[in-house]
Amino acid sequence: MTTKNIYLNLSQQDKKYALRLLDKSDLNKNLRHNENLIEIEISSINKDKTDLDSMSEEITTLIVNIIKYKLLKEYIWNQYHETYSDEEDIIYMHSLELFKKKEVFISDFIKNKVSNYLLTNDYINIEGFVNFRMKEFMKYISTIGDIAVEEYIIKKDKDEFINVLKYFIEVQDEKIDLLRVHIMKDNSFGLYDKFGKKIDNIDNEEIINMVIQENLNYEDYLISTLLSLCPKKIEILDMLKNNSSKEIVDTIKSIFENRVESVHQN
C-alpha cells in the first residue's frame, strides 16, 4: 500500500477555515504554521479514486467557505462601502442567500477543478489556486455580489414606496365597506362589492392619468384602483396561483395590512 499526501498552504488570515477542515475526520491531517503561513498535510493510505474524491471534497469545502465567508464579503466592502456605508452587512447577508441558491453548482465546479489538479500535483496554495486557476470563475462570484446590491436597492425603494402608500391609506377616508378582488387565471382581475356586484367603471381621472404618464402595468393599475376606492376591508380570491399573483397579493397585504383577507374558492 502507498500513502498519498497532499499539502495545502494558507495564509494566517484563513486560520479559522483551516481549523474547520481539521475538524473533519475522514482523512488524516496535520497542521504546521509559522507567523505568515499555515500548511496542512492531508494523507490517506490508499492512493485510489475514493481517497482522491475525499480529498477533493474536503478541499472544495474549504475553498467554498473562504469564498462565501471571506472573499464575497470583501468584495461587497471594497466595491460598495462608499456608496452604501453602514448597509454593507445587509447587502452581504442578501448576497449569501443568492450564493446558497447556487452553492451546489459552485461546489461542483470547484471540485472538478480541484480533482483535476490533484491528479498531477500534491501541493496546492489555496490563495494562488483561487486567484489564478479560478480567475474567470471569481467574476461569477463578484456578479452575485452585484446582483445582491441591485436587488437590495429595488427592495429598499419598494419598501419606502409602500410606506408612503400606507400613510396615504391611513389619512384617507374609507369609501367602500368591502371590496372583493378576483385575480383571474388569465392574469386579469375583477372587482366586486359586498353584494357580489361587479365594479366595472373606475371613474377616477387622477388614476387614469397616472397609469398613462407612469406607463403602469396591469398589477400597478390594480393597486392604484384599490388606493382610489380605499376599502375598509379587502377579500382576495387568487385563481391564478403563480409567483406573479402571489407577489401582487403580498404587495396588497403589505399596503393594507390587517384589512386584507385571502379567501378560497368553494
Side-chain angles (χ1 to χ4, degrees):
M1 290 191 291
T2 58
T3 300
K4 172 69 173 177
N5 293 331
I6 297 293
Y7 300 91
L8 308 183
N9 185 278
L10 301 90
S11 69
Q12 281 287 352
Q13 293 178 341
D14 297 327
K15 184 177 180 179
K16 60 182 177 182
Y17 307 111
L19 294 177
R20 287 183 188 178
L21 180 66
L22 292 176
D23 285 340
K24 298 176 74 68
S25 58
D26 296 347
L27 299 165
N28 297 320
K29 305 181 188 74
N30 293 305
L31 181 144
R32 294 183 293 271
H33 60 88
N34 55 41
E35 291 183 0
N36 299 314
L37 298 174
I38 296 173
E39 185 178 81
I40 299 175
E41 178 186 0
I42 304 177
S43 61
S44 62
I45 295 183
N46 298 310
K47 187 178 179 181
D48 59 18
K49 187 176 185 299
T50 302
D51 285 336
L52 285 176
D53 279 348
S54 296
M55 290 180 174
S56 299
E57 187 73 40
E58 294 196 16
I59 295 171
T60 296
T61 300
L62 170 68
I63 293 174
V64 168
N65 285 336
I66 290 174
I67 289 174
K68 70 178 178 181
Y69 295 125
K70 177 188 173 185
L71 300 182
L72 182 58
K73 189 173 186 177
E74 287 178 351
Y75 178 80
I76 297 294
W77 255 253
N78 292 336
Q79 293 293 119
Y80 296 105
H81 172 71
E82 292 186 6
T83 307
Y84 301 102
S85 179
D86 300 326
E87 298 176 282
E88 304 97 328
D89 282 332
I90 300 173
I91 296 172
Y92 170 63
M93 294 306 296
H94 185 59
S95 70
L96 270 185
E97 293 176 8
L98 297 180
F99 186 98
K100 289 175 181 177
K101 291 178 182 179
K102 302 292 184 181
E103 191 160 346
V104 173
F105 160 72
I106 293 170
S107 295
D108 287 345
F109 176 88
I110 295 174
K111 184 180 178 183
N112 184 58
K113 282 276 189 182
V114 171
S115 297
N116 289 334
Y117 183 83
L118 293 183
L119 289 175
T120 55
N121 297 273
D122 59 8
Y123 177 85
I124 175 170
N125 180 289
I126 297 300
E127 185 175 353
F129 187 86
V130 171
N131 289 338
F132 297 102
R133 291 185 176 266
M134 293 174 49
K135 185 176 181 179
E136 291 301 315
F137 186 73
M138 289 306 295
K139 294 179 181 178
Y140 173 78
I141 301 301
S142 63
T143 299
I144 291 178
D146 295 336
I147 292 174
V149 172
E150 291 177 9
E151 292 186 355
Y152 169 73
I153 295 170
I154 292 172
K155 184 180 183 303
K156 183 180 178 181
D157 289 344
K158 182 178 179 180
D159 289 345
E160 290 176 353
F161 182 60
I162 285 176
N163 286 334
V164 171
L165 296 182
K166 285 167 66 175
Y167 175 75
F168 175 81
I169 289 297
E170 289 174 1
V171 299
Q172 286 287 102
D173 293 330
E174 295 166 351
K175 300 176 183 177
I176 182 172
D177 288 334
L178 173 64
L179 179 66
R180 293 189 171 101
V181 179
H182 291 187
I183 302 177
M184 310 301 186
K185 291 182 179 180
D186 63 356
N187 207 29
S188 63
F189 64 87
L191 302 178
Y192 303 85
D193 63 19
K194 63 182 178 181
F195 302 108
K197 182 179 178 181
K198 188 171 184 180
I199 303 174
D200 288 316
N201 298 314
I202 307 299
D203 188 16
N204 189 306
E205 185 177 349
E206 183 179 350
I207 286 183
I208 299 299
N209 289 336
M210 182 171 64
V211 169
I212 296 173
Q213 292 173 8
E214 301 296 333
N215 193 27
L216 301 182
N217 58 33
Y218 214 45
E219 290 77 10
D220 295 328
Y221 178 62
L222 171 57
I223 296 295
S224 301
T225 302
L226 297 183
L227 292 172
S228 173
L229 294 173
C230 198
K232 184 176 182 180
K233 183 178 179 182
I234 300 173
E235 290 182 352
I236 303 177
L237 174 61
D238 181 7
M239 292 183 283
L240 182 57
K241 294 181 179 179
N242 64 9
N243 290 335
S244 176
S245 64
K246 182 181 183 303
E247 183 176 351
I248 189 70
V249 171
D250 288 344
T251 300
I252 293 173
K253 287 182 176 179
S254 64
I255 296 171
F256 291 89
E257 297 181 316
N258 56 4
R259 299 189 191 193
V260 182
E261 179 184 354
S262 293
V263 297
H264 302 281
Q265 195 172 29
N266 295 326

